[in-house]
Amino acid sequence: DQISRVQGSRVLIQQGNATLSCYDVFNSHTGELMKSWDFWVSGVSLFVAGILGIIGNILTLITLICYENRNSFNKLLIYLAVVDLLLILTFILEFSILNEFFQGQPYWYRMMFPYFVHPLKVRNCI
């Protein structure tokens, strides 16, 4: 019952009485462009921004730890920098290194995920 036809720059799909239109016509060139875009944005850009974030958090930790006046606000900033550092490391590992550079999750990661990685992630519990 599904009839597809191309009209201009969109694809029309007829199913029963309903007509659905898709304005993005994907071909092999579009797929290669999407893979390239995903590599550069999710892989390289996230990795570079993560490295800059790690350097910034380490410099923040060094500055706050060496600072003589350790009041509660400075301690909270130290804790925030540590949690942010762990979050950046997790994002770099999952989204940049594993998904883009290794093209999927290796066996050791799939085995560790339900026992170690997932319970350590911060979740909103209601």
Side-chain angles (χ1 to χ4, degrees), residues 7-43:
Q7 182 181 29
S9 65
R10 63 184 182 158
V11 176
L12 297 175
I13 301 171
Q14 183 80 31
Q15 188 171 15
N17 293 334
T19 302
L20 305 171
S21 63
C22 177
Y23 289 94
D24 294 328
V25 179
F26 291 107
N27 54 24
S28 63
H29 178 69
T30 308
E32 292 172 9
L33 183 66
M34 294 294 282
K35 285 180 186 177
S36 175
W37 176 261
D38 196 36
F39 173 77
W40 285 105
V41 172
S42 296

Side-chain angles (χ1 to χ4, degrees), residues 62-121:
I62 291 170
T63 304
L64 290 173
I65 289 173
C66 293
Y67 189 60
E68 294 295 326
N69 188 8
R70 287 208 186 159
N71 56 16
S72 60
F73 184 72
N74 287 347
K75 288 180 183 178
L76 287 173
L77 287 176
I78 290 171
Y79 300 143
L80 178 66
V82 168
V83 170
D84 190 34
L85 188 63
L86 293 174
L87 181 71
I88 291 171
L89 287 172
T90 303
F91 278 174
I92 288 176
L93 176 69
E94 279 190 52
F95 298 115
S96 183
I97 294 174
L98 292 179
N99 287 344
E100 292 304 319
F101 299 136
F102 285 136
Q103 299 297 325
Q105 289 133 2
Y107 178 74
W108 61 267
Y109 183 79
R110 285 182 278 149
M111 295 309 294
M112 280 181 43
F113 186 81
Y115 303 110
F116 298 107
V117 178
H118 185 65
L120 293 176
K121 288 187 177 184

Side-chain angles (χ1 to χ4, degrees), residues 36-57:
S36 175
W37 176 261
D38 196 36
F39 173 77
W40 285 105
V41 172
S42 296
V44 177
S45 298
L46 183 87
F47 187 76
V48 170
I51 295 298
L52 292 175
I54 289 171
I55 292 170
N57 279 321

